[in-house]
Amino acid sequence: MAWYPGAKKMELQPESDSQPAIRPTQFIVHSIVAPWTPERTYEYWRDSTNLESHFGLGYDGSLGQFIGTETRADANAAANRRADGTGAVSLESASNLQASDPWTPEQVETLIKLGVWLHQKHGIPLRICRTADDPGFGYHRLFDAWNPSAHSCPGDARVKQFREVVFPGIVARATGKTTEEDDMPTADEIATAVLKKDGVIAVPGAPATNPTWTLSSVQTEILKRLDKVAATEAAQTAAITKLASLVGSGVDTATVVAAVQKAIADAVVRVSVDVTGADSKGV
């Protein structure tokens, strides 16, 4: 049995001795749908069910281990132990009662540290599992074979964190691209980690006809939107300058308003362009 030195050992019996050995090839994370400490999670596994996870993670980043990582735990359905002796290491994490909240920064840091240890100790490869049997890292709802009841565990917010922060953080820390004390991967590491296998990424606000772009296209779009913001600011400056030139010149209010409106329109029409190249009126 293998025990993680960063966790408090709270060994479940008789499961720890009676359940068969596994060769760990996967790490699967869960939300327990309760704001529990590792101690409370241990009590639940001990007193209320014949199921269990290897680890329990509190909101404050505290971690308990209930079964050695080379012994089967029963939180992942078909991934618990396969006919070839391989199996998954499982972790239940404190959450709200709807499992809708994100992991806290403390939870994220603990997940990254544990993920690095599992990679180093058991050789779990630094990739997100491609199939239910594929070695790597994942979350409960990733495959039906792990989640036959088809619930949303660990929740949308945590799936997003897993893909954008936790897993890239494990990779960065394990490969030495960040120091032990770094909490977050770099922007480039995050961008690389969330790219899909075909080299494209979903872009908020992208047209329905082209919802995914290459990373270089994303960078180009960011620059275009920044240019638009700068031009809008120039339009506002032009309007203010025009207004200032009229103040005290003896013209009436209507003339001032008309002049300001025209100055804004003249400046904005030059920058009212969307990502397709048409202006905001569809011209």
Side-chain angles (χ1 to χ4, degrees), residues 128-139:
I128 295 177
C129 299
R130 299 163 295 187
T131 67
D133 296 340
D134 185 45
F137 292 75
Y139 46 87

Side-chain angles (χ1 to χ4, degrees), residues 30-224:
H30 304 244
S31 290
I32 203 166
V33 198
W36 288 350
T37 63
E39 290 78 11
R40 178 65 184 90
T41 301
Y42 166 76
E43 292 169 356
Y44 177 73
W45 294 145
R46 183 192 64 191
D47 302 335
S48 303
T49 179
N50 61 354
L51 303 177
E52 71 284 317
S53 60
H54 288 94
F55 293 94
L57 175 62
Y59 273 131
D60 62 356
S62 57
L63 188 68
Q65 184 173 358
F66 315 125
I67 290 182
T69 52
E70 293 171 314
T71 300
R72 188 195 75 201
D74 297 327
N76 310 297
N80 294 335
R81 186 181 188 276
R82 303 179 183 87
D84 64 358
T86 63
V89 175
S90 52
L91 176 144
E92 289 282 359
S93 54
S95 72
N96 63 24
L97 298 180
Q98 295 76 41
S100 61
D101 55 340
W103 285 305
T104 66
E106 293 81 6
Q107 287 178 308
V108 168
E109 175 62 14
T110 297
L111 287 168
I112 290 173
K113 288 181 176 179
L114 176 58
V116 171
W117 181 81
L118 290 169
H119 167 68
Q120 295 171 342
K121 177 69 176 178
H122 298 303
I124 296 177
L126 296 172
R127 65 173 180 246
I128 295 177
C129 299
R130 299 163 295 187
T131 67
D133 296 340
D134 185 45
F137 292 75
Y139 46 87
H140 196 193
R141 79 185 197 196
L142 185 58
F143 297 107
D144 292 343
W146 302 352
N147 179 28
S149 57
H151 49 64
S152 64
C153 177
D156 292 345
R158 295 184 179 191
V159 168
K160 179 177 174 64
Q161 277 182 300
F162 178 86
R163 289 187 170 274
E164 296 182 0
V165 180
V166 173
F167 178 69
I170 292 169
V171 173
R173 190 89 49 92
T175 56
K177 293 183 179 179
T178 64
T179 66
E180 181 71 14
E181 290 74 28
D182 286 339
D183 291 338
M184 304 291 285
T186 67
D188 286 344
E189 289 161 348
I190 292 174
T192 300
V194 300
L195 284 176
K196 298 179 181 178
K197 64 180 180 180
D198 52 357
V200 296
I201 186 171
V203 179
T209 56
N210 185 24
T212 55
W213 298 339
T214 63
L215 186 57
S216 62
S217 295
V218 174
Q219 293 169 334
T220 300
E221 173 60 15
I222 290 171
L223 292 175
K224 288 169 67 176

